[in-house]
Amino acid sequence: MVDGAVGTGAATGGEPESSDSLRTFGAVVQALREHAGLSREEFGDQVGLSKHTVASIELGRRMPDPTFAERAEAVLGNTGALRKAALHLARQPGLAAWFRRWAQLEATAITLYTYECRMAPGLLQTEPYSRAMAVDHVPPLDDTQIEERWAARADRQRLLRERPNTAFSFIIEEHVFLRRTGGVEVTRELIDHVLELAALRNVEIQVMPLVQQSHSGLQGPLQLLETPENKWYAYIEGQESGQLIIDPKVVSVLQRRYARMRSQALSMEDTVSLLQRMRGDL
């Protein structure tokens, strides 16, 4: 199970909540920087960050991007300490190991694009829909695991309302709603929830029609995000695995695919009309 099956991290402002792992990592960064005789501004210049961002990382208030540890190691003597410390960042219950780094980036993203062809994206799911999927998980989940997964996903969904300046775009295949996962009542509630979120100014939801002769997303689901530093990352996921993509050339290809899909999917207005008709037919 994937983005729809595992949720993550809270964001209550411009930076994720501080945690023991973040504070420990930040303390290691600060100690190595000071040992190297560098000010925050000097260190930031060498790793491509502002002194304010460096301060946030050192104080445990900001999650570093996936390449920070490598860049910092090159400046601070290649001791390996930062690489090891980065492995222990933010291990939240209910969050698959392979999804953690993406979730950390997502918590502060200023742009987030999601294409999903298998299920409702995690950020748009309702509790009954999420639990219906958990029932069919193989191997079976116990009650604690199911509760942790929903709690993590519900926490993650706060991003939509608590980050009004973040632009969210979703493209979802029509058959995701036609499948009626969990039954008619669960599907009705899901559609109502999606329609409610579609009314938010920072959320765009488009349905990819069931009959569509031209489709640029046939390679599978994907996610893209832009950080506050205007860096783009991508994430793709399969069964029991996920891949965070930082190569700019690959990310560029995926950006172009997503842009093409936005032109191929129904407009926002037509999407709302379709969902309303589908709900009426249930």
Side-chain angles (χ1 to χ4, degrees):
M1 299 174 83
V2 290
D3 165 55
V6 284
T8 183
T12 56
E15 296 177 342
E17 296 177 0
S18 182
S19 67
D20 290 341
S21 59
L22 275 175
R23 286 191 292 268
T24 300
F25 181 83
V28 173
V29 174
Q30 183 173 354
L32 291 174
R33 175 183 60 76
E34 292 175 347
H35 181 73
L38 297 172
S39 67
R40 283 173 173 166
E41 185 172 8
E42 290 169 335
F43 174 64
D45 287 341
Q46 294 190 54
V47 296
L49 299 174
S50 71
K51 65 179 180 180
H52 303 293
T53 300
V54 172
S56 292
I57 291 173
E58 291 185 349
L59 294 173
R61 296 199 302 258
R62 187 187 187 99
M63 180 64 62
D65 70 60
T67 64
F68 172 80
E70 288 299 325
R71 300 198 310 273
E73 284 280 8
V75 174
L76 301 176
N78 281 311
T79 65
L82 289 182
R83 293 188 188 95
K84 291 180 180 178
L87 297 176
H88 300 283
L89 291 175
R91 297 178 178 272
Q92 302 101 320
L95 182 61
W98 63 81
F99 191 69
R100 289 174 188 146
R101 295 310 302 274
W102 176 261
Q104 294 156 10
L105 288 168
E106 183 183 66
T108 58
I110 62 173
T111 306
L112 182 67
Y113 297 158
T114 300
Y115 164 63
E116 184 55 74
C117 57
R118 304 157 299 175
M119 65 195 77
L123 285 174
L124 304 182
Q125 289 180 15
T126 61
E127 183 174 355
Y129 183 90
S130 172
R131 292 184 181 277
M133 292 201 308
V135 168
D136 290 327
H137 189 275
V138 178
L141 302 172
D142 60 34
D143 291 343
T144 299
Q145 289 172 312
I146 292 174
E147 291 300 326
E148 286 180 346
R149 286 173 180 241
W150 168 246
R153 186 175 305 117
D155 192 33
R156 178 176 168 233
Q157 290 178 352
R158 296 191 303 165
L159 294 172
L160 294 171
R161 299 185 186 275
E162 294 184 358
R163 297 188 61 82
N165 298 121
T166 294
F168 295 90
S169 168
F170 299 90
I171 300 174
I172 311 166
E173 292 290 339
E174 181 179 352
H175 67 75
V176 167
F177 301 99
L178 294 173
R179 183 174 292 124
R180 300 185 182 182
T181 299
V184 170
E185 289 302 322
V186 171
T187 303
R188 279 201 191 103
E189 184 175 341
L190 175 66
I191 293 176
D192 286 342
H193 182 61
V194 170
L195 287 170
E196 178 185 346
L197 293 175
L200 298 176
R201 287 194 300 271
N202 62 327
V203 176
E204 295 183 359
I205 299 176
Q206 295 177 262
V207 166
M208 184 67 77
L210 187 63
V211 178
Q212 176 68 0
Q213 295 183 8
S214 179
H215 193 327
S216 298
L218 298 179
Q219 290 87 350
L222 69 90
Q223 296 186 68
L224 294 157
L225 67 73
E226 181 185 11
T227 71
E229 295 77 30
N230 304 117
K231 296 181 181 178
W232 282 86
Y233 297 94
Y235 178 77
I236 56 176
E237 194 164 53
Q239 296 199 23
E240 303 302 317
S241 65
Q243 180 183 3
L244 176 66
I245 301 173
I246 63 175
D247 185 335
K249 293 182 179 179
V250 179
V251 173
S252 177
V253 170
L254 296 178
Q255 284 178 303
R256 295 198 300 273
R257 287 181 187 169
Y258 193 88
R260 178 70 64 83
M261 279 191 287
R262 292 180 85 170
S263 70
Q264 295 166 336
L266 296 178
S267 69
M268 291 177 59
E269 292 78 11
D270 289 342
T271 289
V272 168
S273 296
L274 174 63
L275 291 175
Q276 290 173 335
R277 290 198 304 272
M278 292 173 68
R279 191 198 184 286
D281 291 338
L282 291 174

